[in-house]
Amino acid sequence: MTEFFDVLFNVTRISLFVAVPLVIVALAGLFSERSGVVNIALEGMMVMGAFIGAFVMGIIATRTGLEGNLLFIIGMIVAIAAGMAFSLFHAYASVNMKANQIISGTALNLFAPAFAVFMANAITGFSKIKYPAISFFVREVPLLSKIPVLGPIMFTKTYISVYVGIFILIAAYIVLYKTRFGLRLRSCGEHPQAADAAGINVYKMRYAGVLISGALAGLGGLFYIVPITGNYDASFSVSGYGFLALAVLISGQWKPKRILIIALLFGFASKVSTMTSLIPALGNLDLSTEVLRLFPYVATLVVLAFTSKNSQAPRAAGEPYDPGKR
Amino acid sequence: MNKLFKKIIGFPQSESGESFLSSFSAILFGVAFGFILMLIFNPSEAFEGIGIILTGGFEAGRSSLGTVLVNSAPIIITGLSVGFAFKTGLFNIGATGQLTVGAFAAIFVGVNWTFLPGNLHWIVAVLAAILAGAIWGIIPGLLKAFLNVHEVVATIMLNYIAMYLVVLGVKETVFNSLRSESLSVHPNAAIPTFGLDKIFPDSSITGGLILAFIAVIIIYIILKKTTFGYQLKAVGFNRYAAQYAGINEKMNIVYSMAIAGALSGLAGAVVFLTQSGIHITTTYILLPQGFDGIAVALLGLSTPIGVLFAGIFFGYIKVGGFFLQRLAFEKEIISVIIASIIYFSALSAIFKKYVRKVFATKKNSDGGDE
């Protein structure tokens, strides 16, 4: 029986590595869409954060030999900055130029991976970036790892990205729902004309929304690649996680708590393939890898089919702000 | 004569003229941006490089033009698919998935149904692809229309589901285990070249281009000349107004996604029903032609004719990108340029405004067109 729990804790812990970037990036989308700017460029922003973050970490590691979580934190800061800088393009197009936000977002998604390959080759001559991801691994947090259930899941064999993710989730909730800034931001996504009449600068708020979005998406990109590999390479993609995060955002009905639940469910479902040894019934079915891998997507779709009847999308999301409109 | 002259002079002000000019200026800016990047990172070869990008499609004469068209055919069709859904107010990000299932259906028929004689074989294979794509489009259509599931999310999920299912299907039914890819289709199942190989020798051109043209014409007719197309567009403009006008908006959403899916499925047949050694591999990868379709639809402003030109253009500079690898450049610079073009086309409102300003002096009748 202890073995059963060991594996269960293991799976839960690994599924957090999937869920954490999903939550962060879905929150990224949340800030942007709540301010009224649809952001399908999450994927591109993730790639930018992952690429530039890994790139800088790689350079620092080879030049100075710096390792461990200090390097990881530097990487995070760089990824945040990269994501923000990249998101400026989306903000400029959607806020200043009143452009179609889907078009601008698609352009950014196309741009990021191609740009990453181009830059990596132009600067280093390789399309591969090495950084010491192993040194970020937290084997055990003293004391806290002794907590039953939570200890083995959260405080052993993990990355600090998990804690940063939890912090961001709480912070995002407080900012959006408990501060004046959050209220203003949300009002710009619901009825910008009314917000404007109340003296809120809609343009500024939307810039803020998109920039926060870029910051979080960039960070999420880095968090996505770190537990997977210390060799970020070739195609520089985040394998569609930006789009998945968008799906989590929409199925989470643009609400932080529901986003968390959906992301956790998806993370868990995506690691269900590692549980075949646990549940004999599942193992006996002898399912192929493909079936196990498509399971989380089908599950999400089914959940959506039952929960989408009342969509809670921000009312003005996707519309350029037009002060003359009522 | 006078009339024609007036038409030419008036072109920049007409709606299609404005669209053309804004797309064209987006292309100019996009290419310029790519050139600047090349100048920064490899100034000595930048001029040669941009030359190759712009003329690569002609480099080996008709053979490379043939390659341009081989590249263009599927992305024209996926562009149509995305553009058609756009017209109904739906964002079909799932062209990739629909293309993938279409490709599998085509290959399945192409490999296994050898009892079909002659030309019937490839026709059935193409139809199978269209049908499979349509089914893959109907699913998100139904989910959207009746359960209010956002089509962007549904199609993203279906992309992955298609990817895994098709790899599974290939492994179970048409597997070449030596090369871990799908088996080659029967020669009869390859889309015939309709004589195009005479015009473009030494290229792997297939009749896919003809199918793309036919698709463009059909979609043009549906959108412009039929009540059905009018209803679809009405739903796209305002779902509730359309409903009020007595249009069954739910079924229109389903039809629209079905047609979009059918088109992407056709694109799958066009890519894979060939003898030139293209197979579905068993790596988990979303096929790029579907995403290219989004870019094509956006640059072509979702109109069939625009999509046709945009698709050929993208096919053209991709060939340039291929030749570019002779220099110290990555072919990804082409994707950078395409992305910039799309970005600038998003800003095209400003181009249009500018065009209007320039020509406003000549025309003073347009007052309250908002």
Side-chain angles (χ1 to χ4, degrees):
Chain A
M1 211 53 197
T2 47
E3 196 190 354
F4 177 84
F5 279 113
D6 274 355
V7 181
L8 188 68
F9 291 156
N10 234 345
V11 172
T12 315
R13 204 184 58 241
I14 302 168
S15 66
L16 279 182
F17 299 160
V18 176
V20 163
L22 269 185
V23 169
I24 295 179
V25 181
L27 288 173
L30 182 75
F31 272 94
S32 175
E33 305 216 342
R34 280 289 183 152
S35 78
V37 178
V38 166
N39 188 358
I40 68 162
L42 291 171
E43 176 92 358
M45 293 172 184
M46 279 180 85
V47 169
M48 274 300 181
F51 166 64
I52 298 181
F55 192 74
V56 172
M57 287 195 305
I59 289 175
I60 294 177
T62 42
R63 294 263 166 87
T64 67
L66 184 66
E67 273 191 352
N69 279 314
L70 181 61
L71 181 64
F72 194 15
I73 291 169
I74 294 173
M76 288 182 207
I77 295 167
V78 172
I80 289 175
M84 275 177 114
F86 192 51
S87 70
L88 273 176
F89 288 99
H90 190 50
Y92 175 71
S94 355
V95 180
N96 296 78
M97 303 298 282
K98 305 191 191 312
N100 181 324
Q101 296 160 10
I102 300 280
I103 303 185
S104 159
T106 306
L108 262 58
N109 282 339
L110 285 172
F111 186 87
F115 181 75
V117 174
F118 178 80
M119 289 298 281
N121 275 282
I123 297 174
T124 64
F126 299 104
S127 50
K128 193 170 245 182
I129 297 170
K130 265 193 182 165
Y131 59 93
I134 301 167
S135 69
F136 305 160
F137 196 60
V138 179
R139 202 151 283 290
E140 192 173 353
V141 181
L143 288 178
L144 291 175
S145 61
K146 298 284 180 286
I147 305 172
V149 183
L150 215 55
I153 292 175
M154 302 254 320
F155 298 108
T156 57
K157 295 182 224 159
T158 188
Y159 290 92
I160 53 171
S161 55
V162 173
Y163 313 130
V164 177
I166 293 167
F167 170 75
I168 287 177
L169 180 72
I170 297 168
Y173 181 79
I174 293 174
V175 167
L176 268 178
Y177 291 98
K178 306 287 174 199
T179 67
R180 213 155 45 174
F181 171 76
L183 182 66
R184 291 179 173 178
L185 188 89
R186 282 183 292 135
S187 73
C188 291
E190 293 296 333
H191 202 311
Q193 288 80 11
D196 197 1
I200 298 167
N201 186 334
V202 177
Y203 297 121
K204 257 191 198 160
M205 279 297 156
R206 289 196 166 177
Y207 254 93
V210 177
L211 282 176
I212 295 174
S213 188
L216 293 182
L219 185 65
L222 189 67
F223 284 178
Y224 169 73
I225 60 164
V226 162
I228 297 176
T229 173
N231 256 331
Y232 191 41
D233 74 336
S235 51
F236 294 109
S237 83
V238 289
S239 18
Y241 265 68
F243 290 115
L244 272 180
L246 196 66
V248 169
L249 170 68
I250 296 175
S251 36
Q253 300 279 9
W254 293 266
K255 292 196 177 83
K257 278 184 220 157
R258 293 185 68 160
I259 287 173
L260 175 67
I261 294 168
I262 304 261
L264 286 175
L265 279 179
F266 185 89
F268 202 71
S270 70
K271 293 296 167 199
V272 83
S273 54
T274 50
M275 304 210 324
T276 41
S277 57
L278 265 194
I279 308 162
L282 203 64
N284 287 343
L285 284 175
D286 201 19
L287 297 167
S288 62
T289 355
E290 284 81 16
V291 173
L292 290 171
R293 285 189 183 223
L294 63 80
F295 173 69
Y297 302 96
V298 176
T300 311
L301 209 51
V302 171
V303 170
L304 276 173
F306 285 108
T307 55
S308 297
K309 211 62 194 159
N310 306 306
S311 174
Q312 308 278 323
R315 212 155 288 154
E319 282 176 31
Y321 174 50
D322 171 11
K325 199 184 151 199
R326 271 156 217 289
Chain B
M1 197 61 209
N2 204 5
K3 216 173 179 183
L4 182 71
F5 182 70
K6 258 191 182 158
K7 213 171 183 184
I8 292 169
I9 287 291
F11 181 68
Q13 285 155 285
S14 68
E15 206 176 310
S16 50
E18 264 183 16
S19 309
F20 173 78
L21 279 181
S22 64
S23 290
F24 188 73
S25 32
I27 291 173
L28 277 186
F29 278 99
V31 172
F33 178 79
F35 180 54
I36 291 169
L37 263 190
M38 290 162 79
L39 264 182
I40 293 172
F41 289 102
N42 191 353
S44 57
E45 288 182 318
F47 283 94
E48 198 186 344
I50 198 77
I52 292 176
I53 291 176
L54 293 178
T55 60
F58 290 116
E59 186 162 294
R62 291 189 292 177
S63 132
S64 49
L65 263 185
T67 312
V68 167
L69 298 175
V70 170
N71 287 343
S72 304
I75 59 177
I76 290 170
I77 305 176
T78 50
L80 275 180
S81 163
V82 178
F84 189 80
F86 266 138
K87 287 278 181 196
T88 320
L90 301 165
F91 186 24
N92 179 22
I93 213 167
T96 293
Q98 295 142 15
L99 182 143
T100 309
V101 292
F104 174 69
I107 290 178
F108 182 84
V109 172
V111 171
N112 289 333
W113 293 13
T114 43
F115 55 84
L116 292 165
N119 273 332
L120 200 60
H121 196 175
W122 73 264
I123 293 173
V124 172
V126 168
L127 289 178
I130 292 175
L131 183 69
I135 292 171
W136 217 248
I138 285 174
I139 299 171
L142 288 172
L143 287 171
K144 167 89 179 180
F146 295 101
L147 294 168
N148 198 26
V149 178
H150 204 299
E151 80 279 6
V152 168
V153 184
T155 50
I156 290 170
M157 296 296 152
L158 285 165
N159 280 343
Y160 289 97
I161 297 171
M163 175 176 83
Y164 290 121
L165 275 185
V166 165
V167 170
L168 181 65
V170 166
K171 279 183 181 167
E172 297 290 325
T173 58
V174 286
F175 196 41
N176 178 348
S177 53
L178 279 179
R179 313 186 50 176
S180 51
E181 60 187 22
S182 60
L183 292 166
S184 296
V185 294
H186 189 267
N188 276 343
I191 300 171
T193 57
F194 300 112
L196 284 174
D197 54 334
K198 304 275 188 315
I199 309 175
F200 305 105
D202 302 324
S203 67
S204 54
I205 193 151
T206 69
L209 185 70
I210 305 286
L211 297 181
F213 277 127
I214 295 173
V216 168
I217 293 166
I218 292 175
I219 296 302
Y220 179 84
I221 292 172
I222 290 181
L223 283 175
K224 289 267 176 177
K225 308 286 178 196
T226 66
T227 319
F228 174 54
Y230 181 80
Q231 291 190 348
L232 288 177
K233 284 190 284 182
V235 174
F237 277 123
N238 189 333
R239 189 176 163 175
Y240 304 101
Q243 189 182 16
Y244 186 69
I247 295 170
N248 185 344
E249 99 285 3
K250 287 192 170 153
M251 279 326 283
N252 269 294
I253 287 173
V254 179
Y255 295 146
S256 174
M257 281 309 292
I259 292 172
L263 284 166
S264 294
L266 172 65
V270 165
V271 177
F272 290 97
L273 282 184
T274 162
Q275 292 288 69
S276 58
I278 295 170
H279 302 91
I280 299 183
T281 63
T282 50
T283 43
Y284 301 123
I285 212 165
L286 294 169
L287 296 170
Q289 288 91 347
F291 292 112
D292 287 347
I294 299 174
V296 169
L298 293 177
L299 185 66
L301 301 170
S302 304
T303 61
I305 309 294
V307 162
L308 177 67
F309 285 114
I312 292 175
F313 173 73
F314 283 161
Y316 178 83
I317 65 166
K318 280 199 171 172
V319 172
F322 177 75
F323 286 124
L324 191 64
Q325 293 176 89
R326 283 190 311 225
L327 306 180
F329 288 113
E330 285 298 299
K331 67 174 188 309
E332 271 71 20
I333 186 72
I334 296 301
S335 303
V336 170
I337 289 177
I338 289 180
S340 326
I341 291 173
I342 301 299
Y343 184 74
F344 286 115
S345 77
L347 306 184
S348 65
I350 206 77
F351 294 128
K352 282 190 183 173
K353 226 184 200 169
Y354 185 70
V355 168
R356 275 192 199 138
K357 239 184 210 165
V358 168
F359 290 93
T361 42
K362 290 176 194 159
K363 189 183 173 190
N364 41 24
S365 62
D366 66 316
D369 59 351
E370 283 292 84

